[in-house]
Structures are given as C-alpha cells and as structure tokens.
Amino acid sequence: MTGGARVEDYLALLKPRVMSLVVFTALVAMLVAPGGINPIVGLIAIACIAIGGGASGALNMWYDADIDAIMSRTQNRPIPSGRATRGEALAFGIILSVFSVTLLGLATNWVAGGLLAFTIFFYVVIYTMWLKRSTPQNIVIGGAAGAFPPMVGWAAVTGTIGWESVILFLIVFLWTPPHFWALALYKQGDYGAAGIPMMPNVAGEESTKVQIFVYSVILAAAGMLPLVLGFAGWIYGAVAVVTGLSFVWLALRLLRAPDSITMRKTARTLFTYSLSYLFVLFLALLTDTIALRLGVI
C-alpha cells in the first residue's frame, strides 16, 4: 500500500512519544512563569506548541524517509512502511507549522509565535537537513531545537525571554547529548548503515562514553541552577540532587563497562533513565512552584 494515509498514520507522523516530553517542559514553563495566563489561552498555547512540535516531526519524516527505511527502529514509520507518501507528510507538516505559529502569535504574543517558528525551522532545516548527516556534533548543536519549548512556553505567558527560561533551555540542551548518545551506543549498526555520523560511529565507543560522563556531570550541576538562582525551593533542590547524582552514577557505570554486552545494556538503561530524569526534574519544579504559591513551604 502506498499513500492514502489514515488518521492514525497522520498521528504517527507527529512523533507523539518523541515530542511529548519537550511539550511537557513547555507546559511547566508556562505554569511557573510569573503573572499567569488565562486558562483557555493557556490551553490554546500548549496545543499550538504540541502541534508545532508534531509538524517538526512530520517534516523530519518527510526529509529522512530514505534513512528511516534503513534503520530498524524507524522502518515501521508511515512513509517507509508505505502507509503515507512523502508528499502527504510534507503538506501535513507545512500546514500544521503555519497554523500553530499563526494561532500562537494571535492567541498570546508574537515573541512566543516567533520562537515557535524558529524552533520548527531549527529542527527541520538546521538539524534534519544540515547537521544530522554532516557532523557527529549533530545532537549537540541540534539539541537546541528540543530545548526551545520551555522558552516558548515562558514567552507565551510573559511576552519576554526571561533568564529563568534560558536556564530551563540550558538544562534540556545539556540533557540531549547524553540521552541520544546512549541510544546511539546500542544502535550503532542502524546509524552506520544509514550513514549518519553519530558520535560512537565516528569517534568510537570509548570517546563517546567519556563525553556522556562529562555532559552528565555538567547537566547535574546545571540542574541545581534554579535553586541556586532563587526561582526554585528545597523540593526542587532535593529532587535535582538525587536525580542528578543518579544520572552521573549511571554514566560512570557506562564509562566503566568492562565489555561490549555490558556497555550496550548499561547504555540502554541510561537512555531509559534519562527520559524519566527530565520529566521528574520539571515535575519537581512545578510542584515546588505550586507549593510556594500556596504558602505550603
């Protein structure tokens, strides 16, 4: 079967599981930003951010259809499996991009709308079309695309890019390399077959493990910045310490893995943990903010 995509295929083009975590970070940023936002406007804003993120996913699948057909973890996506055409994905992505940016700008402000537009552009053009296939630093630089949503959420409420949102951007940005390099360590064959210069395929496993550990240490330190700079309290601080040290410990285990089998198993564990890490950290920030506003702490 070629083309004639069904509703579930269009939903799959949005990469809902991949985008859900970064959309959650945008939601938290909206809720902790000062001043508050009308609940209806807030729902529209987060829907626009989600749709914009999904549009990025659809455009990514449009451009990457050739390599998606090679890698085992992406072969069942709508285009390589024949459930949707590249033309359908391209049109879908463009329509959703224009719709989400325009609606966000009209519903909130054009700082937020402009940031969302730049996020989509960065992910599709800078990361997907340029960095992904040309440099092992693809995830490092391209990771900015996944780190912009907290800034978009913050701007939707405040109309500005506050330094607090920049800190949240930094946390997600630093989280991205160890997260994806852990995946790349146990999916080296896929990336090698597709000709994508991920760090393990270019620099080797040992260098990648060292870089994962270094980034993990820096990430754990950056995770403390909301507490140190005064826009989070002890609930967040306690969670940041525990989760950050756990991240570093897993990275250290990966660094010391004695053989290839253990390395791949530990890399998978770190990859899975990293998903929970970002969710728990941002949830702790939200919980801390709500507690402070209610006078509980």
Side-chain angles (χ1 to χ4, degrees):
M1 176 181 176
T2 304
R6 298 171 296 179
V7 172
E8 54 266 37
D9 299 321
Y10 281 110
L11 290 176
L13 286 172
L14 300 177
K15 292 187 176 181
R17 287 184 295 180
V18 175
M19 294 299 176
S20 60
L21 192 59
V22 289
V23 172
F24 174 70
T25 65
L27 174 62
V28 171
M30 286 178 58
L31 294 174
V32 303
I37 189 171
N38 178 280
I40 302 301
V41 176
L43 286 174
I44 294 172
I46 200 64
C48 288
I49 295 171
I51 292 169
S56 300
L59 292 172
N60 171 270
M61 288 197 198
W62 156 71
Y63 192 81
D64 278 352
D66 56 336
I67 58 177
D68 280 351
I70 297 172
M71 297 191 294
S72 61
R73 72 183 185 88
T74 57
Q75 286 175 346
N76 197 42
R77 285 177 173 174
I79 299 175
S81 66
R83 305 194 311 274
T85 66
R86 294 186 72 172
E88 287 171 332
L90 177 61
F92 188 50
I94 292 174
I95 290 170
L96 291 186
S97 296
V98 174
F99 171 77
S100 60
V101 169
T102 303
L103 182 56
L104 182 62
L106 292 172
T108 60
N109 58 76
W110 288 106
V111 174
L115 278 171
L116 180 59
F118 183 72
T119 300
I120 296 170
F121 169 82
F122 197 97
Y123 184 75
V124 176
V125 177
I126 303 300
Y127 170 67
T128 301
M129 295 184 178
W130 176 31
L131 296 172
K132 185 173 183 177
R133 306 186 192 210
S134 63
T135 171
Q137 295 297 319
N138 47 18
I139 287 301
V140 178
I141 305 169
F148 282 124
M151 299 179 72
V152 179
W154 189 277
V157 177
T158 66
T160 63
I161 301 173
W163 62 267
E164 298 94 339
S165 72
V166 175
I167 296 301
L168 299 181
F169 166 92
L170 180 64
I171 291 171
V172 181
F173 181 77
L174 292 171
W175 166 86
T176 304
H179 168 72
F180 279 105
W181 285 339
L183 171 66
L185 278 172
Y186 68 88
K187 288 290 185 180
Q188 290 180 64
D190 273 3
Y191 288 113
I196 301 175
M198 291 296 282
M199 191 62 69
N201 300 82
V202 176
E205 294 178 357
E206 292 305 314
S207 175
T208 303
K209 290 191 295 182
V210 170
Q211 293 188 63
I212 286 175
F213 178 73
V214 171
Y215 267 97
S216 299
V217 172
I218 298 172
L219 172 62
M224 296 301 299
L225 288 177
L227 175 67
V228 174
L229 297 176
F231 72 98
W234 68 266
I235 294 177
Y236 172 85
V239 172
V241 168
V242 173
T243 56
L245 289 176
S246 298
F247 206 118
V248 172
W249 177 69
L250 285 173
L252 182 61
R253 281 186 56 197
L254 177 62
L255 181 64
R256 293 177 172 177
D259 54 66
S260 181
I261 294 176
T262 304
M263 182 274 293
R264 283 170 170 74
K265 182 178 179 180
T266 309
R268 184 185 291 270
T269 301
L270 178 59
F271 173 76
T272 303
Y273 173 78
S274 66
L275 293 169
S276 302
Y277 169 82
L278 201 62
F279 174 78
V280 170
L281 196 68
F282 273 75
L283 182 61
L285 178 61
L286 178 59
T287 302
D288 198 291
T289 301
I290 292 173
L292 286 169
R293 288 176 181 174
L294 293 177
V296 176
I297 57 174

